[in-house]
Amino acid sequence: MLKMFETEAKFKKSSRIILILVLFITGFLAFQIKNLLFDYDFEKFFPANDEETEFFFNYRQKFESDNDFLLIAIENKTGIFDKKFLKNLEKYSSNLKNIKNVESVTSILDQKQLFVYPGGLSASVPYLDSNFNKLKEDSVRIYNNKELINTFIAKDGESVCLLLKHTDYISKNKSDKLIKNIEILNKKFSFDRIRIAGKTIGQKYYVDKMSFEMSLFMGLSFILIILFLYIAFKSLWGVLLPQVVIIFAMLWIMGLMGLFHEPINLILVTLPSIMFVVSMSDVIHFVSRYLDALRFTGKKYESILITFKEVGMSTFLTSLTTAIGFYSLYFVNVQPIQIFGIITGTGVIVAFLLTISLLPVLIYLSPNPKFILKPKNLEGHFWKKYLTTSFIVILKNRKKALFFSFVVFIVSLLGTYMIDTDNYLMDDLKDGEELKKDFNFLDDHYGGVRPFELAITIKDTSKTVWDKEVLQEVDKLENYCEKVYGAKIKLSLVQILRLFNKASNSGDPNFAVLPTSQRKINQVRKPIRLLNKGKFYHQIIDSSETVFRVSGSIPDWGNHKVNDKNVKLKKFISENINASLIKVNITGTAHLFDKNIRYLSHSLVLGLLISIIIVAFIMGILYKSISMTLISIIPNILPLVIIAGIMGFAGIDLKVSTSIIFVIAFGIAVDDTIHFLGKFKLELNKGRSKIYALKRAYLTTGKAMILTTLILCAGFLLLILSSFLGTFYMGLLLCITLFAALIFDLTLLPVLILLFYKPKKKEIVIPNNTIV
């Protein structure tokens, strides 16, 4: 790159080549954006390369997905035992069954009370009369069978629940069509309210929101950048040229995603805002220095050359450290976060390459801005006046700056001990969102949408799932899960055996227990195998009859509470279940989704440490000074402690979306420190005294630091408009972190340099015409 600056003629020739090349690449990548897709797959948030994840995928192949269903709650405020309501419900259920990719619809309408008579004869009687003429008697029978309550009808009698089982692992397009067809059907019925919860509707809702918000953030970021560029440079030139670089950078990274078929996930919805504001940082530093040089030289080529020499290295280092911050997310053992880190880190590098290649070319080939202050007009200029005053005040109050920083650090440190790690299925949605209300309703009335899954493996090879000793152990386990843990068991061999035992005793609820003899168990083996044409058997028992499942649901209690209950469950298993007979594994999609939260602390600490070590290493090489290395790190660690403290005091949980803030914030916050120290070192190399070099660095980089921080904060604040709480907190907390980093860079950093850094003396002759 430096060779193109050897002469103006060579630079002019190279400029045309670079412009043509950049335009060609931009056109090609812009065309690839058409391949860009949106993705919201919960399973990608499972811990990668994890033993429990591998176990679950193998386990699921034996049975079926634990998450491919919809719960549909239909309300009737005057009570569900109403003939007109039930007739409409019957029609609705029948129409649901005819929708493509719907495998079954189960409701109170389909449930039958089973009776088994001596000799193996059996009969079943519907809980509801086919013409709904005996509703009073039927309602009494239904409420006497506890397995129906909060499974098919609510305890308050104001709603019913339909379990819709759709095709396993259904594609995004098919699931969207399924939800659309259900929504069309819903409009044909005048129920008081229909609530739907499940993975399929959650996926559609999230993807639609992601698509809308990405377009919104892109448009708002574009407007915001135009506004700030005009305020900063007060000319059309200052708006258009940087905008071209920023837009091209965005086109490149999104085009690369389309080219490699990498979809936009829930976290990547913030990409436009991040790319716009991060790209802006380098552009503003470059353009600000160019305009300062142009005021003195009046010549484009010389001003570009000076700018490149003075901020080129700093711009490279800031881009490198920001990219490292994003790339360090690779150490988080969750695929969407790893992808987010790689893509945004690559986006930062792309923005840097365009800044140092395309921006100088555009500046050279375009007319100079009309609005530009001459050197003689700079003495009373706003920025110089107030930055000079600020610098003097800080130097006069060094002890106060140190004391204030120390107090803020201690208070924030106390807040960090209050941070909790928790996660909910609908955690990322604000309370007012309709989908969240529907999920909460089903949590409260029907045992929840969150899957609860136990895998039972028989360790004694002489036994099968039908042996009484095995079933008695599982019976103990299920009783604990229902009565102590709080799970709603909906599918298990023990449960169906209890129902058959009750049916053998004239439907007496007191006999809804596991049969006490092996003979009674053997008597119902064949009927259970044939139940629902054999489908039920294959849903819960594998072909070898040595592995079976206990499946149900729990309310969305949150990761913290579920983890606490799981610890107690494991303790119960170790103390009360015969380990030589069966092995119990807690598994399922929700369990694995929870597990990644426990990875975050270790993974993020590792990623953050790597970022800090690399930045410290860069500073160590640049200054060849341990003291300067520590000085450069301190003002950028303090904002991280502050943000952790705020999260603790405000009760903001550490989760997937909020956890990545720390590594992102450090990577971006350190940029201003690097620009400041880069200018400081440049002045020292010219033979300036420490205090003079410090002043020049403060006045020269101060304006760009303030402008870039304001733009970054304003850009990230746009994210608070998001419907997703994770995105909301990311925007708010990043904004606070970057603002805190700016304050410390303008107050604590100069004081630390002045008190603790001792530069080596150099005898350098300074030419009279040196541009400062």
Side-chain angles (χ1 to χ4, degrees):
M1 179 63 71
L2 289 174
K3 288 184 178 180
M4 67 180 283
F5 287 102
E6 288 178 352
T7 64
E8 185 171 359
K10 197 167 186 177
F11 177 77
K12 187 175 182 179
K13 182 180 178 181
S14 300
S15 295
R16 294 192 180 97
I17 297 171
I18 290 173
L19 184 61
I20 293 169
L21 184 62
V22 168
L23 288 174
F24 174 78
I25 295 173
T26 304
F28 172 75
L29 291 176
F31 182 73
Q32 301 302 318
I33 294 177
K34 64 180 177 61
N35 298 321
L36 201 56
L37 300 172
F38 290 89
D39 174 46
Y40 190 77
D41 185 354
F42 274 110
E43 294 187 4
K44 289 182 180 177
F45 284 87
F46 293 168
N49 304 314
D50 179 77
E51 186 178 327
E52 287 196 57
T53 302
E54 186 177 346
F55 173 85
F56 170 70
F57 286 136
N58 291 332
Y59 163 83
R60 191 170 63 178
Q61 287 179 356
K62 299 177 187 293
F63 303 108
E64 62 179 1
S65 169
D66 67 335
N67 208 22
D68 281 317
F69 65 88
L70 290 173
L71 292 182
I72 304 176
I74 301 178
E75 295 181 66
N76 193 50
K77 297 298 184 183
T78 58
I80 60 171
F81 295 104
D82 175 84
K83 188 171 184 177
K84 182 181 177 181
F85 170 76
L86 291 172
K87 284 284 185 182
N88 282 332
L89 181 66
E90 193 173 46
K91 291 178 184 176
Y92 180 78
S93 178
S94 177
N95 287 332
L96 274 179
K97 292 174 183 177
N98 293 327
I99 293 176
K100 191 175 182 180
N101 291 307
V102 173
E103 293 188 348
S104 65
V105 177
T106 310
S107 70
I108 189 63
L109 300 172
D110 312 300
Q111 299 308 297
K112 296 178 180 180
Q113 188 170 13
L114 184 67
F115 295 94
V116 179
Y117 303 105
L121 295 174
S122 64
S124 58
V125 179
Y127 281 105
L128 285 170
D129 175 66
S130 59
N131 293 314
F132 309 117
N133 291 325
K134 301 177 181 179
L135 291 177
K136 188 173 182 179
E137 298 93 320
D138 290 345
S139 65
V140 173
R141 266 196 318 132
I142 288 171
Y143 274 98
N144 282 334
N145 288 272
K146 65 177 184 177
E147 67 271 9
L148 301 177
I149 309 305
N150 291 345
T151 302
F152 295 109
I153 67 168
K155 189 176 182 179
D156 61 12
E158 293 184 0
S159 67
V160 297
C161 184
L162 287 72
L163 173 63
L164 185 152
K165 184 72 178 69
H166 57 71
T167 306
D168 279 354
Y169 322 118
I170 190 170
S171 68
K172 175 66 172 57
N173 288 336
K174 289 181 179 179
S175 68
D176 284 350
K177 289 178 183 177
L178 171 64
I179 296 300
K180 186 177 180 180
N181 288 331
I182 293 174
E183 289 172 346
I184 292 171
L185 177 62
N186 289 349
K187 292 177 182 177
K188 296 179 181 179
F189 289 83
S190 56
F191 296 118
D192 286 350
R193 181 154 186 176
I194 300 175
R195 301 176 186 268
I196 306 175
K199 184 187 79 171
T200 307
I201 193 167
Q203 175 180 272
K204 184 179 186 303
Y205 188 90
Y206 271 65
V207 171
D208 289 347
K209 281 280 185 183
M210 285 159 53
S211 179
F212 169 76
E213 290 192 358
M214 188 164 187
S215 300
L216 175 67
F217 293 149
M218 192 176 294
L220 291 176
S221 298
F222 186 74
I223 294 169
L224 185 72
I225 287 171
I226 291 175
L227 178 63
F228 269 97
L229 286 173
Y230 186 78
I231 292 172
F233 302 120
K234 295 182 175 63
S235 68
L236 185 62
W237 178 95
V239 171
L240 292 180
L241 265 63
Q243 195 80 291
V244 170
V245 176
I246 295 164
I247 292 173
F248 275 30
M250 193 69 235
L251 290 174
W252 277 37
I253 193 62
M254 294 186 73
L256 286 169
M257 289 176 66
L259 180 65
F260 292 103
H261 302 285
E262 186 60 54
I264 295 172
N265 59 40
L266 178 60
I267 302 176
L268 278 170
V269 74
T270 60
L271 182 65
S273 294
I274 292 175
M275 281 302 302
F276 274 129
V277 295
V278 171
S279 302
M280 180 66 72
S281 178
D282 287 342
V283 170
I284 284 187
H285 278 286
F286 195 97
V287 173
S288 293
R289 188 63 191 103
Y290 168 76
L291 291 177
D292 286 342
L294 189 63
R295 291 183 184 108
F296 285 91
T297 66
K299 296 178 181 179
K300 286 184 185 180
Y301 173 70
E302 289 183 25
S303 300
I304 292 172
L305 189 60
I306 291 167
T307 303
F308 202 88
K309 287 180 178 178
E310 293 203 1
V311 301
M313 179 55 70
S314 295
T315 302
F316 167 71
L317 291 175
T318 56
S319 297
L320 179 62
T321 53
T322 302
I324 288 169
F326 285 114
Y327 283 139
S328 66
L329 293 174
Y330 183 78
F331 294 97
V332 178
N333 197 28
V334 180
Q335 187 189 17
I337 295 181
Q338 292 175 336
I339 291 170
F340 172 79
I342 292 169
I343 289 174
T344 46
T346 304
V348 171
I349 299 299
V350 166
F352 165 73
L353 293 175
L354 287 172
T355 299
I356 64 166
S357 59
L358 181 61
L359 187 56
V361 170
L362 293 176
I363 288 172
Y364 185 77
L365 297 177
S366 64
N368 276 332
K370 294 180 180 180
F371 175 81
I372 184 166
L373 289 172
K374 300 299 179 184
K376 63 181 181 180
N377 301 121
L378 290 173
E379 294 301 321
H381 189 237
F382 171 86
W383 289 104
K384 184 173 182 179
K385 178 182 176 182
Y386 285 98
L387 285 172
T388 301
T389 303
S390 172
F391 183 71
I392 293 170
V393 169
I394 289 163
L395 293 190
K396 287 182 177 180
N397 296 276
R398 303 174 198 178
K399 291 182 180 179
K400 289 182 180 179
L402 290 173
F403 179 74
F404 172 77
S405 301
F406 180 74
V407 170
V408 169
F409 173 73
I410 295 299
V411 172
S412 300
L413 202 60
L414 293 174
T416 61
Y417 290 100
M418 300 169 67
I419 293 181
D420 199 1
T421 55
D422 215 350
N423 195 74
Y424 297 82
L425 292 181
M426 291 290 107
D427 199 25
D428 219 26
L429 292 181
K430 295 179 180 177
D431 291 337
E433 295 289 329
E434 290 301 318
L435 182 66
K436 189 168 185 176
K437 290 180 181 178
D438 291 347
F439 269 74
N440 290 341
F441 180 87
L442 284 150
D443 259 3
D444 296 338
H445 293 81
Y446 294 102
V449 183
R450 184 189 180 104
F452 176 78
E453 198 82 11
L454 298 177
I456 315 295
T457 305
I458 298 173
K459 296 182 73 176
D460 187 339
T461 55
S462 66
K463 305 289 184 181
T464 71
V465 298
W466 299 103
D467 280 276
K468 184 181 72 172
E469 292 83 358
V470 171
L471 292 168
Q472 285 174 337
E473 294 300 303
V474 178
D475 188 42
K476 283 192 291 182
L477 177 64
E478 287 192 22
N479 282 327
Y480 176 87
C481 290
E482 289 192 310
K483 295 175 182 177
V484 180
Y485 191 103
K488 183 76 174 177
I489 304 300
K490 297 180 178 179
L491 191 67
S492 79
L493 181 57
V494 167
Q495 185 188 57
I496 199 68
L497 285 167
R498 290 172 183 169
L499 291 176
F500 268 87
N501 194 43
K502 184 177 74 170
S504 300
N505 292 274
S506 304
D508 187 344
N510 293 319
F511 287 89
V513 293
L514 184 72
T516 54
S517 69
Q518 186 67 56
R519 181 180 61 82
K520 287 185 178 181
I521 293 171
N522 291 338
Q523 283 178 347
V524 295
R525 283 179 65 171
K526 186 175 181 180
I528 290 175
R529 284 176 180 272
L530 298 175
L531 198 64
N532 197 17
K533 298 180 180 179
K535 288 183 180 179
F536 175 80
Y537 174 83
H538 293 295
Q539 281 180 322
I540 61 170
I541 303 171
D542 80 328
S543 57
S544 67
E545 294 193 339
T546 58
V547 179
F548 59 114
R549 66 191 293 214
V550 174
S551 184
S553 64
I554 57 175
D556 195 11
W557 288 319
N559 176 275
H560 188 75
K561 185 175 179 178
V562 171
N563 187 50
D564 182 58
K565 285 179 173 288
N566 285 345
V567 170
K568 293 176 181 177
L569 174 58
K570 288 176 181 177
K571 184 180 179 183
F572 172 83
I573 292 169
S574 66
E575 294 177 353
N576 298 277
I577 302 299
N578 186 346
S580 63
L581 195 59
I582 63 171
K583 179 183 179 183
V584 182
N585 288 89
I586 303 172
T587 188
T589 52
H591 174 68
L592 292 175
F593 191 66
D594 282 343
K595 190 176 181 181
N596 72 38
I597 297 296
R598 298 194 289 276
Y599 274 113
L600 289 177
S601 297
H602 171 75
S603 300
L604 287 167
V605 168
L606 177 62
L608 189 56
L609 282 175
I610 290 172
S611 295
I612 292 171
I613 290 169
I614 292 174
V615 171
F617 179 72
I618 291 170
M619 289 302 172
I621 292 176
L622 194 64
Y623 280 91
K624 297 180 177 63
S625 165
I626 295 175
S627 62
M628 186 55 86
T629 300
L630 295 174
I631 287 168
S632 66
I633 295 298
I634 290 171
N636 295 292
I637 290 181
L638 276 174
L640 302 184
V641 179
I642 290 173
I643 207 64
I646 290 173
M647 287 177 65
F649 288 125
I652 301 171
D653 295 329
L654 187 69
K655 59 193 76 177
V656 173
S657 49
T658 55
S659 60
I660 62 177
I661 292 170
F662 293 94
V663 286
I664 295 174
F666 179 78
I668 297 175
V670 77
D671 289 2
D672 284 342
T673 305
I674 290 174
H675 278 291
F676 187 96
L677 294 179
K679 180 62 178 175
F680 175 66
K681 184 175 187 296
L682 191 68
E683 294 298 327
L684 288 177
N685 289 340
K686 294 177 181 178
R688 311 292 192 188
S689 66
K690 182 170 72 171
I691 187 68
Y692 185 86
L694 194 59
K695 180 182 177 183
R696 291 306 307 159
Y698 198 93
L699 299 183
T700 306
T701 60
K703 173 185 173 182
M705 287 165 62
I706 293 170
L707 284 174
T708 52
T709 300
L710 288 175
I711 290 173
L712 287 166
C713 288
F716 284 125
L717 272 179
L718 291 176
L719 300 180
I720 68 173
L721 300 174
S722 175
S723 300
F724 303 120
L725 281 175
T727 307
F728 170 88
Y729 284 129
M730 181 187 288
L732 180 63
L733 297 177
L734 277 174
C735 179
I736 295 171
T737 308
L738 296 175
F739 186 75
L742 174 68
I743 298 300
F744 286 121
D745 278 334
L746 292 177
T747 56
L748 182 62
L749 182 59
V751 172
L752 291 174
I753 293 173
L754 201 61
L755 294 177
F756 302 108
Y757 178 61
K758 295 180 180 180
K760 296 177 181 179
K761 293 183 180 180
K762 290 186 177 183
E763 296 292 335
I764 299 178
V765 178
I766 310 299
N768 292 329
N769 62 346
T770 299
I771 296 170
V772 295

